[in-house]
Amino acid sequence: MTGALTLLRALLHRAGTTVVILVVALCATAAATVGPTYYVAARHSILQDTLTATSVVGRGFQAVRQGPVQSSIGALDSNVTHELDQALGGPATVRRVFAPAVLALEATAFFPNLGENVPLVWRTDVCAHLRFRSGRCGTATGEVAVSASLAALNHWQTGQRVQAARGGPLTISGIYLPPDASGDYWFSRGGVYFPAEIPIAQAAPYDALFTPHATIDVLSGNPQGSTVIARALDVPRVTPADVDALGRLDSRLNNASLLNGVAVATGLSSTVDTVHSSWSSLSVPVIVVTAELLVLTWLLLFLVVTDAVEARGTEIALAKLRGYGAARAFFFGLGEPLTLLALALPAGAVIGWALTGVLSHVLLRAGTPVPLPGLGWAGATAAAAGGVAAVVVAARTTLTRPVVEQWRRTGRKATDRGWVFDAVVLTGAAAGLAQLLIGGSLGSAKHSALALLVPGLLGLAIAVVGSRLLPVICRAWFARTRRRGGLGPFLAVRHIARRPGGTRTTMILATAVALATFSLAAWSVASNNRARVAEVTVGAPTVFSVAPDIRTDLGAVVDHIDPGGHAASAVETFNSGQSVLVAVQPQRFAAVAHWKAGFVSAPAALLGGLHPPAPDPVVLQGDKVRVHLDVNTLQPAADRLSLDIVATGASSPTPIDLGVITRQHVSITRVGSLAGCPCTVRDLQFSPPASRPGQITGDVTLTGLEVLRAGSWQSVPHALDAGQWSDTADQQVAADGNGQQVHWSFFAVIGIPPTLSIHDRPDPLPAVAASAIAGNDSTLTLSGLDGADLTVAVTGRVANVPAAPANGVVVDLTYAERAAFGNLGPATAQVWVRGDRERIRRGLQAAHIPILSTRTSAEADAELTRQGPGLASVLFLADAGAAAVLAALAAVLSLSAAARRRRYEYAALAATGASRRTLFTALVLEQLVVVGFGALTGVGAGLLAVVIAGRSVPEFVVAPVAALLRYGPSPLLMVLALGGGFVLLLTSAGLAAAALLRSVTAEQLREAPA
Amino acid sequence: MNVDVAVRCDNLVHVYGTPGAEVAALRGVDLVVKEGETVALLGPSGAGKTTLLWHLAGLLKPTAGAVEVAGKRLATLSAAELAVLRVREIGVVLQNPGRNLLPYDTAIGNLLFAQRPTRRSGAAKRRRAHALLDSVGLGGAATRRAGRLSGGEQQRLAVAVALANSPGLLLADEPTSQLDPVSAAAVIDLIRAANEESGTTVVAVSHDAAVGAALGRTVTIRDGRVGSEGRSGEDYVVVGRDGTVQLPPEMLDTLPPGTLARAVRHDHGVDLRRIYDAGESQ
Ligand SMILES: Nc1ncnc2c1ncn2[C@@H]1O[C@H](COP(=O)(O)OP(=O)(O)OP(=O)(O)O)[C@@H](O)[C@H]1O
Ligand SMILES: [Mg+2]
């Protein structure tokens, strides 16, 4: 009790030291808490991010059993539930983690008179997921809801009864509008239920009939079909602890004997793999960074406590004089630092927790819980324990010093055993560095989180050497200041030269600054690279994925919405796996896409050559088509003539058979019918009968192409213009100058029918390709927008193509559409936007173009930042920054404390006539030299570490294209941050000196030197 | 072993410093202090008084010779045993007044601080502390910070602290150095009271004649040896082990350093008679 009071008074008496020790101890425990706490929170955030970003298959499963559908659902449901309970450890977990199951029975209803086989489906709660144009969802046996398209096709009305092959008649209770089937509820069954909405449906394009369970139960003869159970995770309720069990779910469900014959589809295990790799990309850096900061704070604590205990030396001697035994003297001597550490343990843990909360709020997924985990407490405890060790080591000398020596330096010569410490530190640092360098953890190829150790080790090594050099330099300088130079420099330099303690501070400051410099550079590099990767992978600030109607010209819509031409571009892409064709409106695309990230400085010039002039396509619109042809020679005769046309949006050309030509030297006129047009003419072809393949030669003149429209024949404009037709095999095509006729002679290779093709685009298409895919080739063959082969001529190369950095090929949209003959089904339609995306969104809505999804590069950047390496780099920066500030503070304070002990000296000098200015110079100079030297050494060591290990710092979970990455930190940022740091440091040193000088009064003359 | 002997020094030698830069502070001190005795150590500055006192407190290891306190040979004691001895037997007042106290703690706090190693109950410690404060006239200053007390108050408090554990031996180094005669008298009274009431043996270093006069016996240290002793106002020289005798300074007029003297034995002692050289005139 009395001891506690004495302790409290001692703490207050040395408030400055108390505060410094407390701050350092708090930093140590807080730092040790932040790392693990942040890690635990980040795991949660990463898990949630990954689960949210993945498709429903990646965060759920669907079990499908083929077979009779009646009374099949109960058994399947209970078997699946049983396996789930087993896998996740009980029904409670299953209920928490998974959303309620969606069950479905999928049979078919055959309508014999229509010849249509239509899915007949019961699905849990389907009525809540359908919107009705008329009528309502079916509730009674035999009631069905039909889709708008099926109703239109069959001219069905609400309330109508229709007769299917099996079972009784079905009553149409309502007509539903096909929903957006990408929602979780539909669990990728959209293709099964709503094939009519999918442009390239392979299945019969009849949307499902939805009906109550009972309808299926009463179908006669228990028809075959699918019994389906789909369950998606209730993402917000999944915790990191559930992950491992979820990862095993896949193989468990697929191998369960109870589920024999059930196909289980899930991407859970690969999702869990992604989660794990993101976690581990965070865990190592967290450990490394936390360890570095901890060691640094321990060193700092060691120094501060050494000073503090030394200052208490006489009191400890007094205690011994009063008969305090070793233990009692130990606790008396170390009472203050130990109490402060004991205080700092809970307080630091809570502060660390609070800081983590702030950090998490800024960096992690919104709503991520930030508990203070056991791991956080363990970290804080370890930090405090390390602190106790540092304190004991620091106090050893003072505590074991004989009493009398404390009063008079008797007997033993005071030895500088600091070199032992230095040697140990230096050896450790060198060994660690060697281990990293030889062990191959560094080098640009291998990205290893251990690279984060380099700045710490290198900084420490350089700092040890540097801190030994400083007194030497000052001694040399001292000699000079003695000869000339004022009193100020003389005093400053003398004190630095004499005090090894000052150099310890230098050492720690240098190490901390090295860490901060490195972490700043690493953060700058990583965030620039992340931004670049985000920009290039998304392609533009905003990318709308849209679903334009087949007949809609997306380019024209965009032209209408954005007449200025700088805010939006229509883009169609086709990804074949090997290459990505990016068909764009070149000048708009140049203005809208992210180019800087791909290191393109003049995109407009680059894309300028993509749209050379070319004839317009020949479009037929009418009921019939008529072809006039002069057959000069045809060898052999009796070949079939056909005109290939492509209806808009169709996936393949439709030949219009114009009959067989049996004679030569005649003028013929042939007529074919048109359906589903407007249609684009693709070619005119002679094809030999299959029974008689052989070489065909001939010479014909096309003299007219007309369509029957509103009862009269009209010639198709520009159909016979020069350059409109070509024969890529023979090139024997000539047109007269006035657009009246096209002369064609051919000599076709066996097996290849002579073909007169429409020439409505440059062929090959000019293209700007990613260097990686283009190589040195001047032409490339890749997949066009329709998925068919397309040859392009490479007119430009870029390091990275927006949206497809390594394998993108940019071509003109109009020509690419023509090359695909308007078949854009396989392609993905997008609108890329820069600037006001809401305006473009409104425009698209006004044009009735549905927007399927929106992706922004800022969002992509944020997601990358929220992955392990991004989170780690911020933690590192925050920790190292804090350490540097702390070290600088400690340096300034320790120098001030040392100078305070010499106040009597300054007072004496002042009394003997030294001007205040001189004293101020001396004080400031001392601070500046020590602190400035430490900071500069640290910056140097940090930059050196950047050179050695900068490339090895992990930046991404999945390594992006190497051509995107750059390793130079932003010079502006570095200069601003380091310069700002310096200014702050110098200012605080100056302020400390000024404050000290103010306290130098004649009063100090009464104080004896301690 | 004579239990009545509180302190015994046998040919105590102390050499400060490392080989090459040695200072012999004590050169063979023989001293016996009986229990209950009060001894004033006198002597010029640098004579070795403080060094001797530190030996008695067990703070130094003799270069040669031995020190016994309360019947224990200090050199043979372990650190722990020394600590126990200090708590039970020895109270020390250091020469530098500031060093005797924790400046930031209160007067009472300092007294409690000194009593902490004892097994007394908290209340007993408090009672003892207040009694001591009253006895040194600081009863009103119990809660004032030691560092804020005046020099004299601090010295009185220092004596009180040294007496806190009722030591058998009080070692005081210049306890009255900074005091005016009135305050000095108060401190001297305090020390004598301790001696008279509790039988505390006192060894006090002082330049102050009043201290010498107040204590039962004076021992003068000169050049690291016991030069003379005074009892009941009478001064005696002390014959050293090697037969050396230090003359009292006032006799050096008669026998200045360097003079030759003839030692003439008679029944109760030896006379020193100056011999005049042939070349020296009378
Ligand atoms: N640590 C030391 N190293 C070297 N010499 C020392 C040391 N301590 C004391 N001395 C010398 O030992 C001699 C005796 O010192 P001591 O302090 O015992 O003298 P003192 O009689 O107490 O003097 P004062 O009356 O001035 O206090 C002195 O000459 C002193 O210079
Ligand atoms: Mg002395």
Side-chain angles (χ1 to χ4, degrees):
Chain A
M1 178 58 212
T2 56
L5 268 181
T6 304
L7 181 67
L8 193 64
R9 295 201 188 99
L11 286 171
L12 291 177
H13 178 61
R14 279 176 285 269
T17 315
T18 301
V19 168
V20 173
I21 294 181
L22 189 62
V23 167
V24 175
L26 281 176
C27 279
T29 46
T33 312
V34 167
T37 309
Y38 181 66
Y39 177 61
V40 167
R43 270 161 66 99
H44 197 279
S45 167
I46 287 171
L47 172 65
Q48 293 288 324
D49 268 349
T50 314
L51 288 178
T52 310
T54 185
S55 70
V56 67
V57 182
R59 57 188 148 81
F61 66 90
Q62 175 173 268
V64 180
R65 165 173 276 154
Q66 302 293 341
V69 289
Q70 284 167 0
S71 63
S72 61
I73 194 81
L76 183 62
D77 190 16
S78 73
N79 287 347
V80 165
T81 309
H82 174 78
E83 287 300 329
L84 275 185
D85 290 352
Q86 295 290 309
L88 295 184
T93 315
V94 175
R95 264 197 309 273
R96 170 173 59 82
V97 168
F98 278 102
V102 174
L103 312 177
L105 295 174
E106 299 167 2
T108 47
F110 183 62
F111 295 95
N113 50 341
L114 298 169
E116 293 169 359
N117 216 351
V118 182
L120 178 65
V121 177
W122 164 74
R123 193 171 175 90
T124 311
D125 217 15
V126 74
C127 296
H129 294 89
L130 292 176
R131 273 194 307 136
F132 281 81
R133 197 174 70 187
S134 68
R136 54 170 176 80
C137 204
T139 48
T141 311
E143 285 188 341
V144 294
V146 305
S147 83
S149 65
L150 193 65
L153 190 69
N154 295 332
H155 307 290
W156 284 346
Q157 309 285 328
T158 299
Q160 191 175 339
R161 288 160 77 86
V162 293
Q163 185 61 50
R166 278 181 220 255
L170 301 171
T171 306
I172 295 171
S173 62
I175 295 171
Y176 68 85
L177 296 164
D180 169 11
S182 63
D184 284 6
Y185 171 77
W186 299 104
F187 212 95
S188 72
R189 291 308 261 182
V192 176
Y193 298 158
F194 312 108
E197 319 317 312
I198 296 172
I200 45 161
Q202 298 301 313
Y206 308 123
D207 290 347
L209 306 171
F210 289 102
T211 189
H213 196 303
T215 310
I216 295 194
D217 282 345
V218 301
L219 292 176
S220 61
N222 200 357
Q224 295 286 313
S226 309
T227 307
V228 181
I229 292 183
R231 269 191 108 158
L233 289 173
D234 187 355
V235 172
R237 295 162 75 173
V238 182
T239 66
D242 303 321
V243 162
D244 287 330
L246 289 175
R248 287 191 299 269
L249 205 55
D250 190 348
S251 66
R252 170 133 202 162
L253 291 181
N254 273 309
N255 297 327
S257 54
L258 273 178
L259 298 178
N260 232 336
V262 177
V264 179
T266 176
L268 268 174
S269 51
S270 81
T271 307
V272 166
D273 284 348
T274 311
V275 168
H276 271 300
S277 65
S278 195
W279 281 358
S280 60
S281 69
L282 181 62
S283 62
V284 180
V286 164
I287 294 169
V288 170
V289 166
T290 305
E292 271 177 323
L293 189 60
L294 262 187
V295 170
L296 209 61
T297 45
W298 284 338
L299 280 177
L300 214 50
L301 206 58
F302 171 78
L303 286 194
V304 180
V305 170
T306 308
D307 281 357
V309 175
E310 186 63 58
R312 295 199 58 190
T314 51
E315 286 166 32
I316 294 168
L318 185 64
K320 289 182 183 168
L321 182 69
R322 300 288 180 231
Y324 280 48
R328 208 181 281 272
F330 174 87
F331 283 110
F332 173 71
L334 295 185
E336 293 169 54
L338 292 181
T339 307
L340 293 174
L341 272 171
L343 250 174
L345 174 55
V350 170
I351 291 174
W353 185 30
L355 287 176
T356 313
V358 174
L359 212 59
S360 304
H361 184 74
V362 176
L363 290 169
L364 300 183
R365 189 182 169 78
T368 300
V370 187
L372 178 49
L375 213 55
W377 281 114
T381 311
V388 170
V391 163
V392 171
V393 174
R396 205 193 50 232
T397 327
T398 311
L399 283 175
T400 55
R401 182 181 296 145
V403 176
V404 175
E405 271 187 35
Q406 186 61 48
W407 297 324
R408 288 187 194 163
R409 301 285 165 187
T410 57
R412 286 181 287 168
K413 200 169 159 190
T415 47
D416 173 18
R417 284 195 291 167
W419 66 268
V420 178
F421 176 87
D422 286 5
V424 168
V425 168
L426 197 59
T427 314
L433 274 179
Q435 178 68 33
L436 286 178
L437 291 167
I438 297 164
S441 290
L442 304 184
S444 56
K446 292 186 183 172
H447 291 258
S448 163
L450 291 182
L452 297 177
L453 280 175
V454 171
L457 294 175
L458 192 69
L460 205 54
I462 291 181
V464 166
V465 175
S467 68
R468 286 270 152 189
L469 276 179
L470 182 61
V472 176
I473 296 171
C474 283
R475 240 164 273 149
W477 189 9
F478 180 39
R480 289 194 50 188
T481 53
R482 191 155 38 179
R483 272 179 268 121
R484 55 206 162 89
L487 178 63
F490 171 80
L491 285 175
V493 168
R494 190 188 61 165
H495 284 131
I496 300 166
R498 281 191 181 168
R499 250 176 17 125
T503 64
R504 276 293 148 68
T505 343
T506 320
M507 194 185 89
I508 293 195
L509 178 62
T511 311
V513 171
L515 274 182
T517 307
F518 182 88
S519 67
L520 183 66
W523 178 82
S524 157
V525 165
S527 60
N528 282 338
N529 278 340
R530 269 199 308 273
R532 200 174 291 123
V533 166
E535 286 182 356
V536 167
T537 43
V538 173
T542 304
V543 172
F544 291 124
S545 286
V546 294
D549 186 78
I550 270 159
R551 274 165 255 281
T552 306
D553 180 353
L554 188 60
V557 171
V558 169
D559 288 342
H560 177 73
I561 299 174
D562 172 37
H566 295 291
S569 168
V571 176
E572 296 270 0
T573 67
F574 179 80
N575 187 345
S576 71
Q578 271 95 50
S579 64
V580 180
L581 188 73
V582 184
V584 305
Q585 298 174 290
Q587 291 316 306
R588 291 177 165 278
F589 189 72
V592 167
H594 282 305
W595 291 104
K596 240 186 261 140
F599 310 109
V600 174
S601 51
L606 182 73
L607 300 185
L610 293 188
H611 192 100
D616 285 336
V618 175
V619 178
L620 307 182
Q621 178 130 39
D623 303 322
K624 288 181 187 318
V625 60
R626 191 160 76 176
V627 174
H628 301 282
L629 200 65
D630 292 346
V631 181
N632 309 324
T633 61
L634 186 62
Q635 200 53 256
D639 278 323
R640 182 170 293 272
L641 177 67
S642 61
L643 182 68
D644 283 335
I645 62 166
V646 185
T648 309
S651 54
S652 56
T654 317
I656 298 173
D657 192 351
L658 299 175
V660 178
I661 296 172
T662 51
R663 290 187 296 155
Q664 304 188 49
H665 315 294
V666 289
S667 293
I668 57 165
T669 298
R670 295 285 166 87
V671 178
S673 353
L674 296 175
C677 286
C679 305
T680 311
V681 177
R682 186 163 164 172
D683 54 45
L684 191 67
Q685 211 175 55
F686 286 103
S687 37
S691 57
R692 190 171 51 77
Q695 193 178 50
I696 305 174
T697 61
D699 185 276
V700 298
T701 308
L702 184 62
T703 56
L705 186 67
E706 297 158 322
V707 286
L708 182 64
R709 236 178 140 172
S712 69
W713 290 101
Q714 303 168 357
S715 62
V716 179
H718 306 297
L720 303 181
D721 281 359
Q724 191 66 274
W725 297 89
S726 70
D727 179 338
T728 41
D730 286 347
Q731 301 300 333
Q732 295 291 319
V733 179
D736 71 358
N738 50 17
Q740 295 302 312
Q741 57 181 42
V742 174
H743 182 92
W744 175 31
S745 62
F746 49 89
F747 189 88
V749 182
I750 297 174
I752 295 182
T755 306
L756 184 63
S757 304
I758 280 291
H759 176 70
D760 58 0
R761 63 172 176 99
D763 188 18
L765 269 186
V768 169
S771 318
I773 196 173
N776 293 323
D777 302 340
S778 57
T779 61
L780 293 174
T781 301
L782 39 99
S783 300
L785 292 179
D786 53 353
D789 279 358
L790 175 73
T791 304
V792 298
V794 179
T795 60
R797 289 174 169 75
V798 286
N800 301 289
V801 168
N807 60 353
V809 176
V810 183
V811 295
D812 180 72
L813 176 61
T814 312
Y815 293 155
E817 282 177 356
R818 287 181 194 172
F821 302 103
N823 174 21
L824 303 184
T828 307
Q830 297 174 332
V831 175
W832 290 24
V833 180
R834 180 178 288 272
D836 183 2
R837 69 163 165 263
E838 290 313 314
R839 182 169 68 88
I840 307 297
R841 185 198 294 279
R842 282 193 301 275
L844 289 170
Q845 275 159 355
H848 302 292
I849 294 180
I851 295 174
L852 301 179
S853 64
T854 308
R855 183 94 178 118
T856 67
S857 52
E859 213 172 70
D861 192 4
E863 279 163 20
L864 286 175
T865 308
R866 285 214 301 265
Q867 287 178 351
L871 295 180
S873 78
V874 179
L875 180 68
F876 191 20
L877 181 61
D879 270 5
V885 169
L886 195 66
L889 207 75
V892 170
L893 283 178
S894 125
L895 285 169
S896 293
R900 186 172 286 271
R901 269 178 251 135
R902 297 193 306 260
R903 276 189 305 186
Y904 67 92
E905 178 185 320
Y906 294 104
L909 284 167
T912 55
S915 74
R916 296 227 134 217
R917 223 190 133 92
T918 310
L919 297 182
F920 184 72
T921 312
L923 284 167
V924 168
L925 207 63
E926 184 184 345
Q927 296 244 3
L928 286 195
V929 170
V930 174
V931 170
F933 181 83
L936 278 178
T937 314
V939 169
L943 292 178
L944 188 62
V946 170
V947 172
I948 294 177
R951 286 170 170 268
S952 310
V953 177
E955 294 179 357
F956 297 92
V957 175
V958 181
V961 187
L964 269 177
L965 306 180
R966 291 292 179 272
Y967 291 98
S970 152
L972 184 68
L973 176 74
M974 297 299 287
V975 167
L976 279 183
L978 296 179
F982 262 106
V983 169
L984 274 181
L985 203 56
L986 301 190
T987 314
S988 50
L991 287 179
L996 201 62
L997 194 61
R998 250 196 315 277
S999 74
V1000 170
T1001 58
E1003 286 294 305
Q1004 259 77 56
L1005 289 173
R1006 282 203 203 144
E1007 267 183 30
Chain B
M1 198 174 285
N2 190 342
V3 250
D4 289 335
V5 173
V7 172
R8 179 198 299 276
C9 296
D10 261 336
N11 192 22
L12 179 60
V13 176
H14 191 91
V15 179
Y16 280 115
T18 44
E22 290 142 338
V23 179
L26 297 179
R27 310 159 181 255
V29 173
D30 290 305
L31 180 67
V32 174
V33 181
K34 298 225 177 65
E35 273 188 8
E37 244 190 316
T38 54
V39 177
L41 283 181
L42 307 178
S45 181
K49 305 182 293 293
T50 298
T51 307
L52 177 58
L53 211 63
W54 284 358
H55 271 289
L56 301 188
L59 298 173
L60 291 172
K61 295 261 175 263
T63 311
V67 183
E68 259 173 39
V69 172
K72 299 201 171 83
R73 216 174 138 145
L74 297 187
T76 63
L77 298 182
S78 70
E81 288 167 329
L82 259 179
V84 172
L85 184 73
R86 282 198 200 113
V87 176
R88 299 215 180 125
E89 298 293 342
I90 304 173
V92 182
V93 179
L94 297 171
Q95 183 171 8
N96 187 331
R99 285 203 181 136
N100 288 301
L101 304 170
L102 299 177
Y104 51 82
D105 210 347
T106 54
I108 189 107
N110 270 285
L111 281 160
L112 295 172
F113 166 75
Q115 292 182 74
R116 225 185 287 166
T118 64
R119 295 228 176 83
R120 284 183 207 144
S121 73
K125 288 177 186 172
R126 247 160 219 291
R127 244 179 288 121
R128 171 88 185 142
H130 281 290
L132 278 167
L133 279 178
D134 287 339
S135 72
V136 298
L138 291 174
T143 55
R144 282 176 58 199
R145 290 234 212 117
R148 302 266 167 88
L149 297 176
S150 77
E153 286 167 335
Q154 283 189 15
Q155 277 196 324
R156 277 186 275 157
L157 181 59
V159 174
V161 168
L163 291 172
N165 296 336
S166 320
L169 173 63
L170 174 66
L171 304 172
D173 200 345
E174 310 265 13
T176 59
S177 61
Q178 306 212 333
L179 303 183
D180 61 286
V182 177
S183 304
V187 170
I188 293 165
D189 284 348
L190 200 65
I191 291 173
R192 274 179 38 177
N195 174 257
E196 281 159 17
E197 286 160 21
S198 329
T200 305
T201 312
V202 177
V203 179
V205 173
S206 186
H207 287 113
D208 186 353
V211 176
L215 300 189
R217 172 181 162 200
T218 61
V219 172
T220 306
I221 308 285
R222 247 187 253 119
D223 279 341
R225 284 172 221 239
V226 176
S228 57
E229 278 205 30
R231 293 180 194 227
S232 332
E234 190 87 36
D235 272 341
Y236 307 97
V237 297
V238 179
V239 181
R241 283 185 180 236
D242 50 357
T244 51
V245 168
Q246 288 187 341
L247 297 180
E250 63 273 14
M251 293 190 181
L252 290 182
D253 299 340
T254 325
L255 284 176
T259 45
L260 294 180
R262 174 169 294 129
V264 181
R265 187 203 305 258
H266 49 89
D267 286 356
H268 304 290
V270 175
D271 272 352
L272 287 182
R273 292 181 187 259
R274 186 168 176 175
I275 305 294
Y276 293 95
D277 259 2
E280 217 173 310
S281 66
Q282 234 176 332

